Amino acid sequence: MLLNSAFFERTHVTQIAKELLGCTLFTKIDNQVTGGIIVETEAYSYKERGCHAYNMKRTARTQVMFGKPGTLYVYLCYGMYSLVNIVTNKEEVPEAVLIRAIEPTEGLNIMQTRCAKIKANKLTAGPGKLTRALGITRKLNGIELPSDLIWIEKEEKIPKAAVVSTTRIGIDYAGDDAQLPWRFYLRENLWVSKK
DNA sequence: TAGAGGATTGAT
DNA sequence: TCAATCCTCTAC
């Protein structure tokens, strides 16, 4: 089943982040299809300081987070890495799920070409790496799922026991909100990024 | 308009 | 442990 705006329009961003685990993310960039199973996500909400749109902060960058559910929010981090989020909740409610890692299943050779320097067994284990492997750039910022360029297929439900919740990574500046257990990953999966 | 800093990563 | 690297936001 193809995930559409109805899936992302629900109000609990953490629930959506958990349900995305086990789904398969595909891209078709330069007419080349690549994809993999989502194994790690993080949830972000305007209610907490880890979020770019904290306290409904609307800027040129965060504008897309106020858009329709299922919209892609791609931004540049540390001047080098594109990170990909999917906007959730209703329009005008800025919440999103960050995709942090996938387990490659489709177009492995294409991904390796895109990331010549990275070891094959760590190709997509990290938010900056998976976007490079899948060919995701800020050109995709603002497009809606599903699209011809990027889409997500829902697979069988992951058992609760296989999902681990921990604190999110790299948001020490968020104070108490950094302690929220809003990072989710599949237990014992080799492709989960390291802290 | 200048300056500081960041949802990362790979090399040292 | 640190540099790469540049966009975004804030303060002036």
Side-chain angles (χ1 to χ4, degrees), chain A residues 47-50 167-168 171-181:
Chain A
K47 297 170 191 166
E48 44 85 19
R49 286 186 288 274
T167 53
R168 292 169 295 176
I171 54 163
D172 296 340
Y173 60 85
D176 292 344
D177 292 329
Q179 299 304 313
L180 291 169

Side-chain angles (χ1 to χ4, degrees), chain A residues 42-55:
Chain A
E42 282 181 3
Y44 287 89
S45 164
Y46 66 94
K47 297 170 191 166
E48 44 85 19
R49 286 186 288 274
C51 183
H52 291 162
Y54 169 60
N55 207 16

Side-chain angles (χ1 to χ4, degrees), chain A residues 46 53-59 62-69 71 87 90-95:
Chain A
Y46 66 94
Y54 169 60
N55 207 16
M56 302 298 277
K57 188 168 76 173
R58 190 193 291 256
T59 65
T62 62
Q63 177 63 37
V64 292
M65 287 188 72
F66 290 79
K68 289 183 182 168
T71 302
V87 176
K90 295 180 172 38
E91 266 189 275
E92 300 301 315
V93 183
E95 293 186 329

Side-chain angles (χ1 to χ4, degrees), chain A residues 1-190:
Chain A
M1 189 186 84
L2 226 50
L3 295 187
N4 56 24
S5 59
F7 176 87
F8 296 106
E9 191 172 10
R10 292 170 299 153
T11 49
H12 295 289
V13 63
T14 51
Q15 180 65 25
I16 295 171
K18 275 187 269 193
E19 288 184 22
L20 279 173
L21 295 175
C23 295
T24 308
L25 172 66
F26 289 100
T27 62
K28 187 178 180 184
I29 310 291
D30 297 331
N31 220 28
Q32 294 178 308
V33 175
T34 51
I37 301 163
I38 298 170
V39 300
E40 183 180 351
T41 60
E42 282 181 3
Y44 287 89
S45 164
Y46 66 94
K47 297 170 191 166
E48 44 85 19
R49 286 186 288 274
C51 183
H52 291 162
Y54 169 60
N55 207 16
M56 302 298 277
K57 188 168 76 173
R58 190 193 291 256
T59 65
R61 182 173 65 153
T62 62
Q63 177 63 37
V64 292
M65 287 188 72
F66 290 79
K68 289 183 182 168
T71 302
L72 235 53
Y73 172 39
V74 185
Y75 75 95
L76 192 72
C77 185
Y78 297 113
M80 332 174 69
Y81 300 102
S82 297
L83 270 56
V84 62
N85 301 248
I86 302 161
V87 176
T88 68
N89 216 320
K90 295 180 172 38
E91 266 189 275
E92 300 301 315
V93 183
E95 293 186 329
V97 175
L98 169 69
I99 309 295
R100 285 191 59 88
I102 66 171
E103 178 179 334
T105 55
E106 189 76 31
L108 200 56
N109 54 337
I110 299 167
M111 295 191 221
Q112 276 176 322
T113 308
R114 286 178 181 146
C115 318
K117 283 187 178 176
I118 302 175
K119 285 179 186 166
N121 65 348
K122 287 291 168 197
L123 213 50
T124 54
K129 287 193 282 192
L130 81 88
T131 54
R132 206 179 343 164
L134 293 179
I136 295 172
T137 65
R138 279 174 302 145
K139 286 179 190 171
L140 298 186
N141 189 39
I143 72 169
E144 291 173 37
L145 294 177
S147 113
D148 291 339
L149 297 174
I150 182 164
W151 65 97
I152 296 176
E153 288 184 14
K154 177 88 175 155
E155 309 289 338
E156 286 176 29
K157 213 170 184 177
I158 299 291
K160 258 189 181 175
V163 177
V164 182
S165 313
T166 66
T167 53
R168 292 169 295 176
I169 293 177
I171 54 163
D172 296 340
Y173 60 85
D176 292 344
D177 292 329
Q179 299 304 313
L180 291 169
W182 282 13
R183 171 175 175 242
F184 307 100
Y185 61 90
L186 293 183
R187 192 185 298 277
E188 294 180 1
N189 187 286
L190 295 174

